[in-house]
Amino acid sequence: MEVKKDENSFLENMKQDIDQITKEETEILKKRISSHPLYEFLLQSHLSCLKVCSGDFDLPEIMSMADYLDLTKLSPNSDSSLEATSSELDEFMEAYCSTLGELKVAMEKPLIEAHRFVDEVHTQLNDIVLSSPPP
């Protein structure tokens, strides 16, 4: 019975150690990403996608998000030992920024087409109204 209790205690301690290591690694990775030269471009690309999704580029939520992102930039005194220069991270950041750009274009396409359609219908209705004689 006591062996089982010791085993459970050991397993719990190992789980806590692993969780702590994972949290530390996550924080290090967050710092490496946020100090990467493409990080600001990634944020702007993400914000552009949010603007397209909202359909209104001046929504207060989007503007406050832009302000928040500006406030969360790292200070110039950030730890340079955390600066991300690994080729894996470089490739990830480039691919993510590229994917966000492609996503923005893909989301804009149906909106642009719908806008053109509405403009054409509006023009046709105006032509009909202006060409018909008054009653």
Side-chain angles (χ1 to χ4, degrees):
M1 193 73 145
E2 189 162 316
V3 173
K4 189 78 162 168
K5 189 175 185 180
D6 288 342
E7 186 179 310
N8 286 341
S9 176
F10 176 75
L11 290 175
E12 294 249 345
N13 287 338
M14 288 221 16
K15 184 179 183 297
Q16 289 174 353
D17 289 346
I18 290 171
D19 287 346
Q20 182 63 30
I21 291 170
T22 304
K23 288 177 185 177
E24 290 171 2
E25 287 176 349
T26 300
E27 288 304 313
I28 290 170
L29 185 57
K30 285 179 182 179
K31 289 178 182 178
R32 288 183 68 203
I33 290 171
S34 63
S35 67
H36 194 277
L38 289 176
Y39 184 68
E40 186 175 340
F41 181 68
L42 185 139
L43 291 178
Q44 292 302 321
S45 298
H46 180 74
L47 198 57
S48 294
C49 288
L50 290 175
K51 287 178 180 180
V52 171
C53 287
S54 72
D56 185 357
F57 295 108
D58 296 325
L59 279 178
E61 295 86 12
I62 300 295
M63 300 314 289
S64 66
M65 177 65 81
D67 293 341
Y68 171 77
L69 292 176
D70 283 340
L71 292 175
T72 58
K73 289 180 187 168
L74 289 180
S75 66
N77 299 331
S78 64
D79 186 0
S80 61
S81 66
L82 295 173
E83 190 169 322
T85 57
S86 73
S87 62
E88 266 186 24
L89 184 56
D90 290 343
E91 289 176 19
F92 168 77
M93 295 294 281
E94 289 171 8
Y96 195 33
C97 290
S98 175
T99 301
L100 285 173
E102 292 170 9
L103 177 62
K104 179 182 178 264
V105 169
M107 290 187 307
E108 284 177 328
K109 187 177 178 182
L111 295 173
I112 291 170
E113 290 173 359
H115 188 52
R116 285 183 186 150
F117 174 77
V118 169
D119 284 347
E120 287 177 22
V121 169
H122 184 262
T123 301
Q124 290 175 359
L125 288 172
N126 276 342
D127 290 347
I128 291 170
V129 169
L130 294 175
S131 67
S132 64

